[in-house]
Amino acid sequence: MALYSEKVMDHFTNPRNVGKIEDADGVGEVGNAKCGDIMKIYLKIENDIIVDVKFNTFGCGSAIASSSMATELIKGKPISQALELTNKAVAEALDGLPAHKMHCSVLAEEAIRSAIKNYYDTHGIAYDKAQFPDPHED
């Protein structure tokens, strides 16, 4: 059995939405010191819809594939739906990730949440702080 699904390999070798949005409405950056992966997500938002999303990821193939798939899953969607995206949904959309690479899908979820929180903060939009728990607090 192959370690990575065809979808993981496709999103790694042909990642979607790579790049930077210069005038992004929200930017989120997260990293995992243990594995060295760093993800940065850029959002362009109009009328509460994510009209464009780009990413830059420094990391392994699973991190790049997770970033690519996550951006595909939220592009064109309302912010409320993007906030519901889970790492499990990202991994399932990729037809699975090896257990030791699941943290990559977690980073994708955290990067999107971080970008949305940044959008809310920089535009003075009120939000429920419970929607943005600190993943590093115990």
Side-chain angles (χ1 to χ4, degrees):
M1 182 177 131
L3 184 61
Y4 297 106
S5 72
E6 285 184 32
K7 280 189 184 177
V8 170
M9 293 306 298
D10 181 41
H11 277 268
F12 168 61
T13 57
N14 304 295
R16 284 63 150 184
N17 308 307
V18 175
K20 179 178 182 180
I21 299 174
E22 290 296 335
D23 60 344
D25 295 308
V27 179
E29 184 172 2
V30 296
N32 182 320
K34 181 179 175 187
C35 67
D37 295 327
I38 299 170
M39 287 181 190
K40 197 164 191 175
I41 300 273
Y42 303 86
L43 301 176
K44 192 71 180 163
I45 299 169
E46 293 175 12
N47 300 316
D48 277 347
I49 304 293
I50 298 169
V51 295
D52 197 11
V53 55
K54 301 261 187 250
F55 78 91
N56 285 316
T57 293
F58 177 82
C60 67
S62 294
I64 292 166
S66 292
S67 301
S68 175
M69 180 57 81
T71 61
E72 286 287 277
L73 292 170
I74 67 167
K75 193 173 193 174
K77 301 284 195 299
I79 293 171
S80 59
Q81 284 186 18
L83 281 170
E84 293 172 1
L85 183 69
T86 64
N87 73 294
K88 185 178 177 192
V90 172
E92 286 174 1
L94 288 168
D95 291 337
L97 286 170
H100 68 284
K101 293 293 184 178
M102 281 300 289
H103 67 273
C104 295
S105 62
V106 172
L107 283 176
E109 175 187 340
E110 289 175 358
I112 289 167
R113 287 186 167 278
S114 176
I116 293 170
K117 183 178 184 303
N118 175 257
Y119 167 69
Y120 286 160
D121 288 342
T122 58
H123 291 81
I125 299 170
Y127 58 88
D128 179 0
K129 292 194 187 330
Q131 286 184 297
F132 302 95
D134 185 340
H136 305 290
E137 285 183 359
D138 289 335

